[in-house]
């Protein structure tokens, strides 16, 4: 039995080990908890359409994404359709083919507090004239879901125009 | 160096303080139990939410931290009854703190907690506590008891 009156190196190491356990778990926890809080506030990510242009056989829609959270979010895919008219959308009002599209510039990471632009290219579903007329008159409305990733968890942000 | 009967001894040399006066033993048990319990809860929170963690904060590392915390429960608190008290304090505080950490975002962000909203988070927490947190911590404690019994 070691002498209890003297402080042995072993005991110093043990107390240091306790501090180390506390510091390591605390650091890991602080970051994880911050990410959890950011994920709970993911509704605050702002996705707004900015421009829409008609190309030869495709429509290019540009979006601005504003990330007010503390963590970077990555947008990697989108399911978007350009409709004609106001929501609720009638049948046959789709101007583009409904599909899951990759972004034109690939996966985009939006840093915390930053704004990023993404472009989506969609093939047109009806005639070019009709699509051109709808874009010119302002009747063309994009609507869909952007797929985001925070940390390793994926979620969707809907961009549905107010009807 | 802290004197034999002082409070500072509890924090700088818990092993010796655990053989001291009754209030010293209780304070050592409470202090070590509290710190290891809180560390365990934080480590198991990261263990459960791996998708939000750092690259190095893997589940294995977190489990290892909890095991080490359990070992420290016995190696830092020398006297047997005080170490059992510390272990019990640590287990209960670990469970309670883990639940609090999981429910904190609800109250911090003002998310409503009515109805059955809390059932799923509590289910996740209690599953991890029963299957991972308490067993790992307890095996750490038992390993330290065996070690001390074998190597004195």
């Amino acid at each position: 039995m070691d002498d209890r009156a003297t402080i042995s190196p072993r005991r110093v190491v043990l107390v240091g080990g306790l501090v180390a356990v506390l510091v390591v778990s605390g650091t890991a926890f602080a970051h994880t908890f911050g990410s959890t809080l950011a994920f709970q506030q993911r509704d605050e990510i702002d996705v707004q359409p900015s421009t829409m242009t008609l190309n030869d056989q495709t429509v290019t829609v540009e979006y601005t994404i504003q990330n007010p959270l503390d963590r970077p979010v990555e947008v990697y895919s989108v399911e978007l359709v350009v409709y004609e008219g106001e929501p609720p959308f009638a049948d046959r009002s789709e101007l583009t083919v409904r599909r899951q599209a990759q972004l034109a510039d690939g996966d985009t990471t939006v840093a915390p507090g930053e704004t990023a632009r993404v472009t989506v290219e969609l093939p047109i579903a009806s005639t070019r004239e009709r699509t051109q007329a709808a874009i010119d008159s302002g009747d063309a409305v994009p609507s869909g879901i952007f797929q985001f990733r925070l940390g390793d968890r994926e979620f969707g942000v809907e961009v549905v125009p107010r009807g | 160096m802290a004197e034999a009967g002082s409070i500072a001894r509890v924090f700088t040399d818990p092993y010796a303080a655990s053989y001291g006066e009754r209030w010293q033993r209780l304070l050592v048990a409470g202090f070590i139990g509290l710190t290891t319990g809180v560390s365990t809860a934080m480590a198991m929170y990261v263990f459960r939410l791996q998708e939000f963690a750092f690259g190095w904060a893997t589940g294995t590392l977190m489990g290892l931290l909890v095991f080490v915390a359990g070992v420290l429960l016995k190696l830092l608190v020398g006297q047997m009854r005080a170490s059992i008290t510390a272990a019990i304090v640590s287990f209960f505080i670990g469970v309670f703190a883990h639940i609090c950490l999981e429910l904190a975002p609800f109250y911090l962000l003002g998310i409503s907690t009515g109805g059955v909203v809390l059932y799923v988070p509590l289910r996740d927490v209690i599953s991890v506590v029963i299957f991972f947190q308490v067993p790992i911590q307890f095996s750490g404690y038992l390993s330290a008891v065996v070690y001390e019994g074998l190597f004195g």
Side-chain angles (χ1 to χ4, degrees), chain A residues 71-118:
Chain A
R71 297 277 184 270
V73 290
E74 189 186 1
V75 52
Y76 60 93
S77 133
V78 60
E79 187 183 321
L80 200 66
V81 174
V82 179
Y83 291 96
E84 182 180 12
E86 299 275 313
F89 302 109
D91 295 338
R92 299 185 172 283
S93 66
E94 297 178 7
L95 293 174
T96 62
V97 177
R98 172 186 294 278
R99 51 184 276 247
Q100 188 106 18
Q102 303 298 319
L103 301 172
D105 307 317
D107 298 352
T108 309
T109 306
V110 189
E114 297 286 319
T115 308
R117 289 176 190 270
V118 293

Side-chain angles (χ1 to χ4, degrees), chain A residues 13-26, chain B residues 31 35 39 72 76:
Chain A
V13 165
L14 288 180
V15 175
L18 182 68
V19 172
V21 165
L22 200 55
V23 164
V24 172
S25 63
Chain B
F31 168 65
T35 47
S39 310
L72 286 173
L76 272 176

Side-chain angles (χ1 to χ4, degrees), chain B residues 15 18-19 25 29 73-74 77-87 141-142 144-146 148-149:
Chain B
Y15 186 86
S18 68
Y19 287 100
R25 297 202 297 269
L73 271 177
K74 182 68 192 79
V77 188
Q79 207 236 14
M80 196 62 203
R81 284 205 306 250
S83 78
I84 294 176
T85 311
Y141 180 77
L142 280 187
V145 169
V146 170
E148 283 222 335

